[in-house]
Amino acid sequence: MSDVKGRAPSLLGADVMGRGAQWKFLSEAIESATDSGHAVWLCGEPGIGKTVLLEQAGEFAVSRGLRLLRVNAAEGEKDLPFAALHQLMWPLLEEVRELPPAGRAALERALGVGSGDVAGPYTVSAATLDLLAAASQRRPLALLIDDLHWIDASSAEVLHFLQRRLAALPIVMLATVGEHAVAALDCTGVRILDVEPLTDESAERLLREVHPELSRAARCRILQEAAGNPLALAELPAQLGEPQRTGQLPLPEHLPLGESLGRMFAQRVAALSPAVQFILLLCALAGREGQSLHLVAAAARAAGVDAVDEDLAVAEESGLILVDEPTPRVRFRHPLVRSSLVEAAAGAELRRAHAALAQALPTGDLRQVTHWAAATVVPDETVASALDEAAARTQSQGGDTDAARLFARAAGLSGDAAGRGRRLVAAAFAAATGGPLDLASQLLQQAVGHGVPPESRNKLDVTRALVRLHTDGDFGPAIESLPAVLDGLSDAEAAEIRIPSLFMLFLAAGYTADPHVCEALAARLSGATDFARLAHDVWNDPARHAQGGHERFEAALRGFSEDDGVAEVWLLVWCALGLDIVGDHAPLLRRLAHRHSYATQAFIGAVSAYDDYLRGRWDRCVERARQGAAASRAHGFHFIERVHQYREGYVTAARGQQQAVDDLVAAMRPWAVDRGLTFIVHRLRAMQGMCALALGDYETAYTHASSITPPGALPSDVTQFHLVFLDLVESAVHTGRSEEARRHVAAGRAAGMERIFPHHGFVLLASEALASEDVDAACEAVYASANASQWPFELARVRLYHGAWLRRHGRRSEARGQLVAAGRVFAGLKADPWAHRARQELRVCDEAKPAGVASGTLEDLTPQELRIAELVAEGLTNRDIGTRLHLSPRTVASHLYKIYPKLGIAGRAAVGRALGRLEGP
């Protein structure tokens, strides 16, 4: 960093003062880019110095040999799909040809240099990542994004995709973000650096560096007015006359430009001639800076304005802009300049500028339509229809959020109430599909207020159901309206809203287990695809309907076409989720990921977290669930936030984290009960049972498990009954309910669990091993199962049980092998109570037996019984023991009645002596 520190004082160099922590992190991230990538956001208020730090980092990156790619985001381009991506990737356009054909075509179309429909954001994102990865191998890259919060939604998805995958690439991504915009953005994989106002000491040091001529009084006043804002510190004194700066004249009562940066920029703009102001306004509205001068010149001619070059020179002298050469482009010195220009412009002048830009743009350019719309104040059906077409085209390319804004603007320009209502409903539907739920809710209210035409009623009902589901987990609107919607769809509506309506009914049936909803769904499956009928059977009483599910799924998959839409893929993934095979079909998730809406991404995250739990990737499950919950909360998707939370609860419960489970149940159960979400209520009860099982409180575990599926019964409203099947059998065996355990295994065998999917069959095998009288043979059948290694937690539980059984039967060498294997898995899962139990069994197994002792030994005690005996020997009461082990005093007493005869004693007082005798010297 010596070359940066050694430069002559300047605003760039001086502004690093007071930013030591941020600069240290930025410089280290840049210097380490060749080893690992980073994504860093600079967050703070306008004018606080984010852009200056970004520029400093860019210069430093170049000095360290990195290639610079940058985006200067513009509010005016926020509705233009892939506008920011165009800026970022344009310097690499020649290298796009090195990509495989599919990726090359996708990226060229997104950049506007290829023909055909733009692919989904996932395809564009993957192609972008491939191109950057290839370019970074030749020379590390620094990606600079100024005002990330203003980039268009399509480009944002690409950048969010990149930032999650930078760690393995020699790429550093640096961006500035407004402090109020961070909560609405996906910050996965990002380090956020807050850029706060400068301290008094740093602010004074900066002011002395930039304006050494200031008198003491002027300096104190400027420091007070600037309040630590670096841009104000640099710019406020420039507005004063020399006599005022040097103390020859007193400062005015009100400083020019005031405390507000907006006022400062507005006043500087007002000092320019109307012609220069208009040229700057065109620059502000033109958007993409790489082409802005060409577009501005054409727009100026359309508006009858000449001398563009002279006007730009005047503006550059004012310090508001920079004109880059040799490629002519305008860069505003600070993003607020652009905003202040737009805000300060009178309405008529703003419309004049938009109209001029519309005339300068080619027909068919989306920007032309948006500029015409901004230039129009009275209803104009021609402009509204053009916006309709642009919105439909944008929506077909995956830009649901952008389409919502275009439909909403078209509604404002509609010539009649019916057109306005129809367009508002279309906007609300696009917003609900794309993810900005607040916008969808507002648009719904506006649509109802203006009046909804009959032809839009079905879409209104579907949109309302989507919003209520996503925001609150309320299936009421879906249950009440969607059956009738499905019955009354026109051919024109069916293509757009039939599958989303059907899928919401699938969700409603699965989560509520309401027989009326299930019947309504079944009645509307006539003519449905094979995978739609399979989805119904997997989630509606699977114990009686889902046999052959694995084979049916594979058959449906073979008949699946690349031409099938995203909604059909949702149904296939829904089937895979119910069959526990999501992890076996990653291409399905990739197909879904082509859609960039947050609802889709959140769904992928939730099902992936569940698969991580089943396959023993517990840390990743927790990380994915926490990130998903936080992102869902930020986006207003409170239903999927809850789904992510109980996904994490699977791991929390299995690890025996009692307080965390209690907190989750207390927070979620009333909400789930109030909405009739039977599935979540069952899952919460299952978590309580699993946690009790982990802690060795088998009686409580049995109570919870049997309340979901009573021994010998597989209720129709318990969709994922297999997830609690082994828990019931294990807790029944440990509480002396061997008959109940065998009865439940028999029910599973009668239901043909093994014919649903291999995981169901494995759960049945594991349960048979615990309930069998021939433990050896039954456990060996589990180990021999072809899919045993796929379900590590359940396999380890069988090994733990088998090892304890072998130990009690004197087969200590065989027992040790099973216990070591089980303990290794539990330790890897961080399932501490289970690992402790395996260690206890190993300790007892390894104890030297006193010579001649054939019975009444430590080996006769289960690990739980041994722990209770040790605590009794320490003098604890049944209540104290129960508190420590999360057992009831009655359960402790029940264990003691079994412990006494095993130790050959008659009562509590002899426990300590018996343990001492049996453990030996």
Side-chain angles (χ1 to χ4, degrees), residues 23 221 230 235 245 264 471 478 591 693 735 917:
W23 181 249
R221 178 71 180 279
E235 295 293 331
R245 293 198 301 270
M264 176 168 52
T471 57
R591 283 287 302 276
L693 197 62
T735 55
R917 170 176 56 82

Side-chain angles (χ1 to χ4, degrees), residues 92-108:
L92 300 178
L93 188 61
E94 292 298 321
E95 299 172 47
V96 172
R97 297 186 177 91
E98 300 174 15
L99 292 176
R104 173 184 175 182
L107 198 51
E108 287 182 339

Side-chain angles (χ1 to χ4, degrees), residues 766-842:
S767 301
E768 285 179 328
L770 271 60
S772 176
E773 295 181 352
D774 188 355
V775 175
D776 254 342
C779 288
E780 290 300 331
V782 173
Y783 307 147
S785 171
N787 302 290
S789 61
Q790 294 187 33
W791 326 110
F793 180 49
E794 289 142 331
L795 177 60
R797 287 161 66 181
V798 174
R799 292 191 184 279
L800 175 61
Y801 179 83
H802 191 198
W805 182 88
L806 289 167
R807 189 266 302 166
R808 289 194 297 272
H809 286 74
R811 297 161 60 181
R812 289 189 293 170
S813 177
E814 296 171 81
R816 200 175 197 291
Q818 297 298 342
L819 295 172
V820 167
R824 187 179 296 117
V825 172
F826 292 139
L829 295 172
K830 299 178 185 175
D832 293 341
W834 298 90
H836 176 71
R837 197 174 308 158
R839 288 194 300 270
Q840 279 187 315
E841 286 286 352
L842 276 170

